[in-house]
């Protein structure tokens, strides 16, 4: 079935909306208004070729036209623009910096990391209890003990935290501790996990699968949304390409595409995208310049001793200079970093 979403500009007139609806009907589609201001006209059904032939974005009052695939309909039409993570606003002009170690290793390591990123001005802490390692012999994370440490360090520093969940059976556990739950690249298409996350109340940070198209990624978000949770933040973290100098290839065009097709917030993880600390700052800057609503960066108090991903972790000093650069970019793109969430 064909479909198209037409977002009108704020202040579009009733006559402009009616002209769009009339063109949709001419193309055999049903026209449905799904919001009052700014108006969105949904065209359902009709003939794909006839719909695609209309230069929608040239019509007066139209801001953007997005072809609708059934698999991501509810995230594309979702009115949620700003997601709240424990009082911090993400999206809709509000940017966030999430920073911390890849994995929680010990109380000392986590406390040092959290104090350093807080002092540098990060808004949320990252740190994982469960790690999806390529080798089953590698450090797998401290499990619930790490969640306890994260909660303890949240008390100490006031930083809410984001942590990954790997297994649908752990969703309730992670949800009971974390302020935001992350789905990693390897689990983006774990549909039972996504459904479980849709049934719990914490916001979900959904990373792009390393082999997933943008459409598949939005389809994954649709699982979370359909199960009842619309508080979804997308995270571009690089995709697999023929290039081997970086761990993955950061696809910044995905940020622009997400911004053009949905209202969902999207952030970028330059650490897992590149795997190299020297590339983290330039790509974090580029992410904000491209319109991302924030970045998530690996920071370790002593990267050379990290149990996981030391090569891509910034030390506290490097992170602090990055924060200063990000503040400058944010001003240039009119992004308010670390704004409190307001209803
Ligand atoms: C992470 O953020 O720690 C992580 C495992 O990232 P990804 O799922 O993107 O590889
Ligand atoms: Mn990692």
């Amino acid at each position: 079935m064909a479909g198209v979403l037409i977002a009108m500009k704020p202040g579009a007139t009733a006559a402009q909306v009616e002209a769009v609806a009339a063109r949709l009907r001419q193309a055999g589609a049903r026209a449905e208004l799904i919001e009052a201001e700014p108006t969105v006209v949904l065209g359902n059904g009709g003939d794909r070729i006839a719909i695609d032939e209309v230069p929608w974005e040239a019509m007066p009052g139209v801001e953007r036209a997005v072809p609708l695939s059934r698999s991501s309909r509810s995230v594309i039409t979702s009115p949620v623009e700003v997601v709240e993570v424990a009082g911090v606003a993400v999206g809709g002009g509000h940017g966030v910096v999430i920073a911390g170690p890849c994995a929680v290793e010990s109380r000392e390591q986590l406390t040092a990391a959290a104090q350093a990123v807080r002092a540098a001005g990060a808004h949320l802490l990252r740190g994982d209890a469960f790690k999806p390692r390529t080798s089953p012999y590698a450090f797998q994370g401290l499990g619930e003990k790490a969640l306890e440490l994260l909660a303890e360090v949240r008390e100490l520093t006031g930083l809410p935290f984001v942590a990954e969940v790997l297994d649908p059976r752990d969703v309730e556990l992670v949800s009971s501790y974390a302020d935001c739950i992350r789905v990693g690249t390897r689990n983006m298409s774990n549909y039972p996990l996504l459904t479980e996350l849709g049934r719990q109340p914490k916001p979900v940070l959904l990373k792009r699968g390393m082999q997933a198209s943008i459409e598949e990624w939005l389809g994954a978000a649709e699982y979370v949304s359909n199960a009842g949770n619309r508080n979804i933040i997308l995270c571009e973290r690089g995709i697999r390409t023929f290039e081997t100098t970086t761990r993955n290839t950061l696809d910044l065009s995905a940020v622009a595409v997400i911004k053009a097709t949905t209202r969902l917030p999207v952030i970028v993880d330059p650490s897992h995208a590149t795997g190299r600390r020297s590339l983290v700052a330039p790509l974090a800057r580029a992410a904000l310049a491209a319109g991302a609503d924030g970045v998530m960066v690996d920071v370790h108090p002593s990267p050379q001793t990290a149990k996981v991903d030391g090569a891509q972790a910034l030390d506290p000093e490097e992170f602090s200079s990055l924060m200063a650069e990000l503040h400058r970019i944010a001003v240039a793109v009119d992004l308010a970093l670390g704004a409190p969430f307001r209803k």
Side-chain angles (χ1 to χ4, degrees):
M1 186 177 67
V4 64
L5 173 152
I6 306 201
M8 305 300 293
K9 293 182 177 146
T13 64
Q16 291 169 337
V17 173
E18 183 40 42
V20 165
R23 284 296 280 273
L24 280 169
R25 288 192 289 267
Q26 259 173 25
R30 275 172 292 113
E32 188 191 331
L33 299 193
I34 58 167
E35 260 173 66
E37 185 55 43
T39 304
V40 171
V41 190
L42 258 194
N44 273 315
D47 174 40
R48 174 91 274 159
I49 295 172
I51 288 175
D52 287 350
E53 270 174 355
V54 180
W56 298 106
E57 288 172 2
M59 290 186 71
V62 171
E63 182 153 284
R64 62 192 167 101
V66 183
L68 276 188
S69 92
R70 270 193 79 70
S71 61
S72 53
R73 189 163 286 244
S74 78
V75 294
I76 285 179
T77 57
S78 168
V80 175
E81 193 178 11
V82 188
V83 170
E84 176 190 0
V85 181
V88 178
V90 187
H94 309 296
V96 72
V97 177
I98 308 172
C102 185
V104 175
E105 298 168 22
S106 67
R107 175 178 284 117
E108 296 65 39
Q109 172 251 14
L110 184 64
T111 308
Q115 283 172 334
V117 302
R118 196 183 83 129
H123 315 108
L124 300 173
L125 177 68
R126 64 153 291 151
D128 283 336
F130 301 101
K131 293 308 306 176
R133 306 306 301 284
T134 306
S135 161
Y137 307 112
F139 176 61
Q140 304 284 314
L142 299 178
E144 188 168 3
K145 176 75 197 146
L147 295 169
E148 285 168 14
L149 290 172
L150 283 158
E152 190 184 307
V153 167
R154 172 175 55 200
E155 281 298 302
L156 186 73
T157 60
L159 282 179
F161 72 87
V162 180
E164 177 160 359
V165 67
L166 298 179
D167 187 323
R169 291 167 297 188
D170 291 328
V171 166
E172 211 179 315
L173 175 74
V174 179
S175 176
S176 71
Y177 285 95
D179 299 287
C180 177
I181 309 187
R182 206 177 70 244
V183 177
T185 194
R186 293 162 186 81
N187 264 320
M188 187 212 81
S189 354
N190 183 338
Y191 303 119
L193 178 67
L194 298 172
T195 300
E196 221 31 63
L197 288 167
R199 295 185 178 138
Q200 60 75 52
K202 299 290 173 68
V204 175
L205 180 58
L206 178 61
K207 284 191 142 184
R208 180 180 182 181
M210 62 182 98
Q211 265 134 200
S213 66
I214 296 172
E215 171 130 14
E216 288 160 342
W217 187 18
L218 292 176
E222 188 93 353
Y223 272 89
V224 179
S225 173
N226 281 355
N229 188 349
R230 289 171 122 188
N231 292 316
I232 302 165
I233 303 168
L234 298 169
C235 179
E236 162 63 38
R237 50 79 67 206
I239 49 176
R240 282 207 163 168
T241 67
F242 54 82
E243 181 55 69
T244 53
T245 40
T246 48
R247 186 171 174 178
N248 294 279
T249 298
L250 181 63
D251 180 14
L252 280 183
S253 58
V255 171
V257 171
I258 296 294
K259 285 287 162 196
T261 49
T262 80
R263 291 191 170 88
L264 295 182
V266 56
I267 68 165
V268 166
D269 176 346
S271 307
H272 288 82
T274 62
R276 291 167 54 184
R277 71 204 297 195
S278 61
L279 302 178
V280 169
L283 292 181
R285 296 193 302 260
L288 292 197
D293 300 292
V295 291
M296 178 166 69
V297 177
D298 280 12
V299 178
H300 196 286
S302 90
Q304 67 282 5
T305 63
K307 284 199 167 134
V308 189
D309 286 348
Q312 69 194 33
L314 301 185
D315 65 25
E317 208 174 307
E318 290 165 324
F319 178 63
S320 192
S321 358
L322 173 60
M323 279 305 291
E325 293 169 7
L326 293 181
H327 278 289
R328 291 202 290 276
I329 309 265
V331 169
V333 297
D334 215 5
L335 183 71
L337 283 182
F341 178 82
R342 291 189 213 296
K343 268 241 171 309

